[in-house]
């Protein structure tokens, strides 16, 4: 499919609509307190830390740089944007594709469990029926129904994804809270650039150069002692 430029007439962006309510809605959806259970998942990070691949703030930042810009972080945003633009009758096929891209059984569990929890919560609070979808597809569909800006939704989704992994590393390495926040702040420009680029991409642009990350997610499945579900 290659690069996909979404027409201005159908794209909702921060320049076309961004009320205080939209900001607060997105802040709530991606708050650590929103009940998707993100704190229970490390995305394979626990295995990497256990094996010594991540041992300090510097190695954590390098790991997350690749994951955000060349791995599942970027891919999730592409899927989110696709869901934002997909009519209801096409969501099942898109969701099946999102599931197929999960690199391991734990990765599939992660996106399905968080997606199901997100769907239940937005259904109860915002009275929207979006079924049960993988996490990025669910967020994209909900953002469309709530008329939220795609660009800001994508950036905040990717930031929350990264922040959750930083939080996991703070507990596992361990790192100080200040060190963890410094890593997150350093990654903020990359998160913004990646999200802005990814929402212009199509499904054919989904790819990953983060083979080590995928392998760690697989290793975590048989790790003897672990704190996180993935």
């Amino acid at each position: 499919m290659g690069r996909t430029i979404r027409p201005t007439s159908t794209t909702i962006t921060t320049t076309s609509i961004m009320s205080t309510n939209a900001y607060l809605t997105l802040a709530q959806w991606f708050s650590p307190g929103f009940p998707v259970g993100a704190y229970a998942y490390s995305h394979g990070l626990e295995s990497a830390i256990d094996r010594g691949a991540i041992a300090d703030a510097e190695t954590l930042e390098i790991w997350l740089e690749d994951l955000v810009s060349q791995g599942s972080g970027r891919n999730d945003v592409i899927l989110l944007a696709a869901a934002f633009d997909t009519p209801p009758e096409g969501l099942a096929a898109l969701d099946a594709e999102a599931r197929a891209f999960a690199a391991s059984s734990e990765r599939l569990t992660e996106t399905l469990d968080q997606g199901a929890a997100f769907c239940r919560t937005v259904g109860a609070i915002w009275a929207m029926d979006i079924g049960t979808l993988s996490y990025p597809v669910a967020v994209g569909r909900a953002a469309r129904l709530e008329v939220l800006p795609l660009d800001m939704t994508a950036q905040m989704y990717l930031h929350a994804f990264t922040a959750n992994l930083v939080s996991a590393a703070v507990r596992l390495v361990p790192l100080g809270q200040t060190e963890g926040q410094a890593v997150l702040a350093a990654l903020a420009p990359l998160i913004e650039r990646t999200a802005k680029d990814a929402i212009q991409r199509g499904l054919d642009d989904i790819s990953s150069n983060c083979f080590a990350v995928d392998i760690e997610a697989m290793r975590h499945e048989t790790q003897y002692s672990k704190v996180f579900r993935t």
Side-chain angles (χ1 to χ4, degrees), residues 46-199:
E46 183 170 25
S47 176
I49 292 169
D50 183 66
R51 294 193 331 105
I54 299 172
D56 51 29
E58 181 180 1
T59 50
L60 173 65
E61 184 174 338
I62 293 170
W63 188 273
L64 294 181
E65 281 178 353
D66 290 343
L67 186 59
V68 166
S69 63
Q70 301 182 57
S72 53
R74 173 182 178 272
N75 290 340
D76 270 9
V77 175
I78 293 174
L79 289 164
L80 186 159
F84 191 88
D85 284 345
T86 297
E89 60 271 19
L91 284 174
L94 175 62
D95 192 58
E97 189 159 356
R99 296 174 187 223
F101 277 112
S104 68
S105 64
E106 284 193 354
R107 284 278 184 83
L108 183 59
T109 295
E110 187 173 317
T111 192
L112 293 183
D113 286 359
Q114 290 189 71
F118 180 85
C119 291
R120 286 195 300 270
T121 306
V122 296
I125 299 173
W126 284 271
M128 63 175 76
D129 182 8
I130 57 176
T132 301
L133 302 167
S134 56
Y135 191 31
V137 175
V139 171
R141 179 58 181 163
R144 167 59 80 177
L145 291 176
E146 281 299 298
V147 199
L148 301 177
L150 174 58
D151 54 352
M152 185 60 68
T153 302
Q155 289 177 51
M156 292 184 70
Y157 175 96
L158 190 54
H159 185 274
F161 169 82
T162 310
N164 185 63
L165 297 184
V166 168
S167 177
V170 165
R171 287 172 277 170
L172 290 169
V173 171
L175 297 176
Q177 293 285 351
T178 301
E179 284 184 292
Q181 290 304 308
V183 169
L184 187 58
L187 291 171
L190 177 65
I191 290 169
E192 181 181 11
R193 289 196 307 272
T194 300
K196 286 182 175 179
D197 176 75
I199 63 173

